[in-house]
Amino acid sequence: MINESALLESKSLRDSVLERTDVLDRVKALSLLPDGMHVTTAMVAAYFEVGLTAITSLIHDHREELKASGYRVLTGSELTSFKELSGIQSRTRSLALFSRRAVLNVAMLLRDSEVARQVRVYLLDMEYLARTQPVDNSVHSDAVSLDDRIDQRITLILGKTVVPMFNALIETSGEHRRELIALRTGVQRIERSLRRHSIRLQRLEGPRCDWSNTEVMASVDAMSGREFEQYVAELLRLDGCTDVVVRGGCGDRGVDIIGRTADGRRVAVQCKRFAPGLSITSSDVQKFVGAAKVLHVSEVALFVATCPFTREALKVATAGGVTAVHRRMVAEWSAGEPLKVLE
C-alpha cells in the first residue's frame, strides 16, 4: 500500500483522490458556513488544529493547485451577494473560501498536522480497499450497493445542505422559529437512521474475519500502544462513530480517543494495551471516570483493554457509567460484532 507521505510529494496522486471528500468527516467533523458548501481560512485552521499562519503559508506556496480544487477569494459585489445569501456578518473587504475539495487538498499538503496525517492515511486506506476488493457481479449485490450509495448520498445532502439551511433560517426567523427547529430535528433523525442503515449494510456485505479470537488477539498484542489506539479508532468508525480523533500522548487529559456516536452522543475512550496476564485496577478506572465525565463531559465512556479488569475495577466502571471493554470483547468487536453501547 502507498505510504501517506506520498501524497505530500505527488500532485498526480493528489488529483486522483480529490473527489473522496467524505474522508474529511470520517476523521473529524468539518463545520461548514450556512451555505453548506464552504469554509473560511479560520475554519480550515481549526479543523486541522493549526495556526492561521500555517494555512496562509500553504496558500502562498500552492495557490494555483488550491484554486483548481475550489479555493477562491471573494471581493466587491460577489462578496456582498455571498454575505446576503449566507447570513455572514463581516466588514472585511475580501473573504477567502474553501470548498470541501479544497479542504481535502489542504489535508494532502499540510505536513505539521496530526489531523491532516490521519486524513491522508484514511484516504489511502479507502483507495486501496476500493482497488483491491473483489467485484461481485450478482444482481443482488449490485442492487444493495446501489441502494447503499443512494443512502450515503441522501445522508450527505441532509447533513451538509439541508441541516445548514435550517440553521440559517432559524437564526434569521422569529415567527416560525419553533416550527423550523422541529423540522430540523426530524431531518437530523432521518439522517441518523440512514447512517445506521448504511453501517449495517457495510457489516453485512463486508468480509467476515475467519481468524479465531486467539489469532485476532495475537495480532493486537503485537501492536504498539499508539497502533492500538488507531486500531480502536477504526473500530469506532466501523460502528458509525464520527469526529473520531486520536488524542493519545502528552496533553490528552486522560482520554485517548474522542468522537461521537451515530446519533450524536459524545464518546471518550481510554485504551490500554497490556499483557494478558495483567489487569486493569480500580484506580485506573477511577482516573478515567473523572477525565471522561468531568473534563470531557462524555455521554459514552469506553475503557478498552487487552487484559481483564479486576472485580473492583468493574464495580467502579459500573458506578461511574463506564463500559469496560475487556479482552474477550475486544476480540469479538474485532471480528465484526458491534459494540452495543454505541448503537
Side-chain angles (χ1 to χ4, degrees):
M1 193 184 336
I2 302 173
N3 187 281
E4 54 88 15
S5 61
L7 287 167
L8 296 167
E9 311 300 334
S10 172
K11 183 177 183 302
S12 60
L13 182 58
R14 292 195 293 271
D15 289 342
S16 70
V17 295
L18 201 54
E19 297 303 323
R20 292 188 173 274
T21 58
D22 57 309
V23 171
L24 294 169
D25 293 301
R26 291 176 181 264
V27 174
K28 181 182 177 183
L30 176 64
S31 299
L32 299 172
L33 290 171
D35 71 342
M37 298 171 61
H38 297 96
V39 296
T40 64
T41 307
M43 293 166 74
V44 174
Y47 176 83
F48 290 111
E49 300 177 5
V50 297
L52 275 173
T53 304
I55 304 302
T56 54
S57 176
L58 193 73
I59 295 169
H60 180 269
D61 294 339
H62 302 277
R63 181 177 293 273
E64 292 306 313
E65 180 177 342
L66 291 171
K67 285 175 66 176
S69 61
Y71 169 79
R72 59 192 179 127
V73 179
L74 302 184
T75 58
S77 59
E78 190 177 17
L79 175 59
T80 302
S81 298
F82 182 80
K83 287 180 179 179
E84 291 174 353
L85 290 172
S86 63
I88 293 177
Q89 301 297 322
S90 173
R91 296 182 179 180
T92 58
R93 295 183 178 181
S94 64
L95 180 65
L97 295 178
F98 293 75
S99 66
R100 289 175 62 84
R101 291 174 80 249
V103 176
L104 182 59
N105 207 152
V106 170
M108 293 187 281
L109 292 166
L110 191 60
R111 294 178 181 273
D112 300 323
S113 165
E114 177 60 23
V115 175
R117 193 194 71 80
Q118 289 185 33
V119 170
R120 292 193 294 270
V121 170
Y122 206 88
L123 181 64
L124 289 178
D125 282 350
M126 289 181 63
E127 186 70 6
Y128 175 78
L129 289 172
R131 292 181 179 182
T132 58
Q133 64 185 6
V135 177
D136 185 349
N137 294 318
S138 70
V139 174
H140 174 71
S141 177
D142 287 344
V144 172
S145 297
L146 178 58
D147 288 345
D148 191 26
R149 288 198 298 271
I150 292 171
D151 284 349
Q152 291 177 5
R153 183 61 180 164
I154 292 172
T155 303
L156 181 65
I157 292 171
L158 291 176
K160 301 304 174 186
T161 304
V162 179
V163 171
M165 179 190 70
F166 274 117
N167 292 338
L169 289 172
I170 289 167
E171 288 298 322
T172 58
S173 175
E175 182 180 355
H176 301 291
R177 183 180 178 86
R178 183 176 298 177
E179 292 86 346
L180 287 169
I181 291 174
L183 285 170
R184 181 185 63 181
T185 301
V187 169
Q188 290 173 321
R189 188 181 299 115
I190 294 170
E191 180 192 0
R192 288 193 296 268
S193 296
L194 284 172
R195 189 181 296 122
R196 285 194 292 268
H197 174 66
S198 177
I199 292 162
R200 284 194 294 269
L201 280 178
Q202 289 174 22
R203 284 194 176 277
L204 288 171
E205 293 178 327
R208 295 291 297 177
C209 179
D210 294 328
W211 287 9
S212 67
N213 285 359
T214 301
E215 291 171 318
V216 169
M217 293 313 297
S219 175
V220 171
D221 289 337
M223 298 176 183
S224 66
R226 185 65 172 175
E227 288 171 338
F228 182 56
E229 291 168 1
Q230 296 287 351
Y231 179 72
V232 172
E234 187 59 29
L235 291 176
L236 290 168
R237 294 186 185 104
L238 288 173
D239 274 5
C241 291
T242 59
D243 307 354
V244 178
V245 177
V246 178
R247 299 162 52 94
C250 297
D252 63 9
R253 301 179 73 192
V255 169
D256 294 323
I257 305 171
I258 58 173
R260 288 186 178 272
T261 62
D263 58 4
R265 290 170 292 156
R266 289 183 294 274
V267 178
V269 185
Q270 177 68 271
C271 300
K272 292 295 183 186
R273 197 207 57 75
F274 285 174
L278 300 178
S279 295
I280 302 299
T281 65
S282 60
S283 61
D284 294 327
V285 180
Q286 286 171 12
K287 293 175 184 177
F288 177 58
V289 169
K293 296 295 184 178
V294 178
L295 293 179
H296 293 272
V297 199
S298 65
E299 295 156 283
V300 177
L302 305 176
F303 199 122
V304 184
T306 57
C307 63
F309 289 69
T310 65
R311 183 173 299 178
E312 190 59 32
L314 291 173
K315 289 181 180 178
V316 173
T318 300
V322 171
T323 299
V325 184
H326 50 70
R327 187 175 180 83
R328 179 174 55 79
M329 290 178 66
V330 172
E332 292 171 351
W333 195 14
S334 300
E337 183 67 28
L339 211 57
K340 299 296 184 185
V341 71
L342 297 175
E343 293 182 344

